[in-house]
């Protein structure tokens, strides 16, 4: 039975970080990611009438975002003809260098590494969704944004001891949520 | 500083707070000593501490990013603008 409803005024607070992390690994550009998310929210609003309530709000937004990402690559591919080929090795002395460039650098992160880390990131955000909203917000400010303890205390009007108790609770809940699949 | 936290022997809840602070490199020298002493005799906190470190490691590995507050504000405004336009039309 359809039970999910759309609440567009809460989309940004609830899903923007999730959508951002989903997008960034696929397009690898903050500006493009921001544009795609903005387009997704607007497209979501426009097609809100088509939402049947069978999927969760987030799943529905992700399906729109996926289409936006594909469109982004299609647009880029249509500009392919404009690509130019660069020839770097003109002198005889530098001819041997190309070989060195072809050797894979084992310290370079592969696409698989990125995808796996992205899955981990999304799992963390998933778990954060299930804990108390205020705790999750404070945890994100401290852990992901790396904001100073004092600045967060001022922002949320709490004492440092309160902050550490909240962070501790959020971390305990997060660890419990992730334990099964990731530890 | 409370009387309790002046002692080198702390209870599990204070040790847990020290442990969490240590994950962010914000535990002071005295707090680190209190934590080490507590961990020496408390198995439950040792398990907690190792789980806490694992979580820190996973968080670093995930390399999470948040969108900027300005962008979020802009999106919120756009959404409420579009919503009010829809209501009036």
């Amino acid at each position: 039975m359809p039970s999910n409803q759309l609440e567009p005024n809460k989309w940004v607070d609830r899903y923007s970080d999730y959508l951002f992390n989903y997008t960034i690994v696929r397009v690898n550009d903050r500006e493009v990611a921001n544009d795609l998310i903005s387009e997704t929210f607007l497209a979501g609003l426009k097609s809100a009438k088509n939402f049947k309530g069978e999927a969760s709000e987030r799943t529905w937004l992700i399906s729109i975002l996926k289409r936006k990402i594909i469109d982004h690559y299609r647009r880029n591919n249509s500009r392919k003809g404009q690509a130019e080929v660069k020839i770097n090795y003109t002198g005889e002395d530098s001819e041997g260098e190309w070989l060195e460039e072809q050797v894979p650098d084992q310290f370079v992160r592969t696409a698989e590494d990125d995808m796996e880390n992205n899955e981990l990131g999304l799992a963390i955000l998933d778990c954060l969704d299930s804990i108390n909203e205020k705790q999750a917000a404070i945890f994100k400010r401290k852990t992901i944004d790396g904001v100073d303890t004092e600045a967060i205390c001022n922002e949320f009007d709490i004492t440092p001891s309160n902050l550490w108790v909240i962070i501790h609770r959020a971390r305990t809940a997060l660890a419990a949520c992730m334990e099964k699949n990731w530890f | 500083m409370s009387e309790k936290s002046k002692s080198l022997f702390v209870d599990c809840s204070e040790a847990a707070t020290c442990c969490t602070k240590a994950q962010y490199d914000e535990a002071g020298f005295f707090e680190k000593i209190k934590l080490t002493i507590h961990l020496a005799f408390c198995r439950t906190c040792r398990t907690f501490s190792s789980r806490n470190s694992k979580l820190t490691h996973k968080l670093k590995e995930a390399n999470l990013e948040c969108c900027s507050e300005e962008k979020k504000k802009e999106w919120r405004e756009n959404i409420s603008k579009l919503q009010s336009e829809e209501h009036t039309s």
Side-chain angles (χ1 to χ4, degrees), chain A residues 21 30 142 149 171 179, chain B residues 24 26 51-52 56 65:
Chain A
N21 281 280
R30 286 186 78 96
K142 181 78 194 146
T149 303
R171 288 180 72 95
E179 188 138 51
Chain B
Y24 295 88
E26 288 189 36
R51 204 162 74 147
N52 215 0
T56 302
E65 290 183 66

Side-chain angles (χ1 to χ4, degrees), chain A residues 41-110:
Chain A
F41 285 146
L42 299 185
L45 268 181
K46 280 180 191 155
S47 52
K49 287 176 226 109
N50 304 332
F51 181 71
K52 293 186 191 118
E54 284 161 6
S56 75
E57 217 177 9
R58 195 181 72 190
T59 311
W60 186 71
L61 285 170
I62 286 281
S63 70
I64 298 174
L65 177 61
K66 274 183 190 164
R67 280 201 296 271
K68 296 284 168 201
I69 295 173
I70 293 169
D71 285 347
H72 161 74
Y73 279 109
R74 281 201 186 124
R75 276 200 300 271
N76 273 6
N77 277 344
S78 66
R79 290 187 214 126
K80 237 200 268 174
Q82 296 161 10
E84 65 182 74
V85 180
K86 263 192 176 174
I87 298 171
N88 292 322
Y89 306 108
T90 46
E92 267 182 30
D93 295 343
S94 58
E95 264 179 3
E97 284 175 15
W98 70 271
L99 191 62
E100 207 171 319
E101 279 185 15
Q102 306 308 310
V103 178
D105 184 347
Q106 51 178 317
F107 297 111
V108 172
R109 292 150 57 86
T110 63

Side-chain angles (χ1 to χ4, degrees), chain A residues 8 13 16-17 20-21 30 34 38 42 45 117 120-121 142-145 149 164 168 171 179 182, chain B residues 16-17 20-21 24 26 48 51-52 55-56 58-59 61-62 64-67 72 75-76 79 82-83:
Chain A
D13 293 320
S16 57
D17 290 330
F20 186 76
N21 281 280
R30 286 186 78 96
N34 282 335
S38 177
L42 299 185
L45 268 181
N117 288 347
L120 169 64
K142 181 78 194 146
T143 316
I144 303 173
D145 297 335
T149 303
W164 288 114
H168 166 65
R171 288 180 72 95
E179 188 138 51
W182 292 94
Chain B
T17 307
T20 299
K21 277 188 186 178
Y24 295 88
E26 288 189 36
F48 169 78
R51 204 162 74 147
N52 215 0
L55 180 66
T56 302
K58 287 284 170 199
L59 286 165
E61 211 178 285
L64 279 171
E65 290 183 66
C66 282
C67 342
K72 286 186 183 177
W75 293 335
R76 271 187 216 111
I79 289 174
L82 261 177
Q83 273 185 308

Side-chain angles (χ1 to χ4, degrees), chain B residues 19-80:
Chain B
C19 178
T20 299
K21 277 188 186 178
Q23 301 303 318
Y24 295 88
D25 268 338
E26 288 189 36
F29 178 68
F30 195 52
E31 281 173 320
K32 280 183 197 161
I33 291 179
K34 285 195 280 191
L35 177 62
T36 314
I37 292 174
H38 186 86
L39 290 183
F41 62 81
C42 180
R43 182 194 283 264
T44 313
C45 285
R46 271 204 301 277
T47 312
F48 169 78
S49 174
S50 107
R51 204 162 74 147
N52 215 0
S53 308
K54 259 187 213 165
L55 180 66
T56 302
H57 180 70
K58 287 284 170 199
L59 286 165
K60 275 188 191 147
E61 211 178 285
N63 197 19
L64 279 171
E65 290 183 66
C66 282
C67 342
S68 66
E69 279 305 312
E70 297 95 72
K71 271 285 158 197
K72 286 186 183 177
K73 202 178 154 204
E74 189 188 312
W75 293 335
R76 271 187 216 111
E77 282 167 4
N78 286 345
I79 289 174
S80 58

Side-chain angles (χ1 to χ4, degrees), chain A residues 3-19:
Chain A
S3 56
N4 298 306
Q5 287 197 333
L6 294 181
E7 292 178 288
N9 49 342
K10 291 183 181 158
W11 283 354
V12 177
D13 293 320
R14 283 184 184 162
Y15 312 119
S16 57
D17 290 330
Y18 189 92
L19 297 181

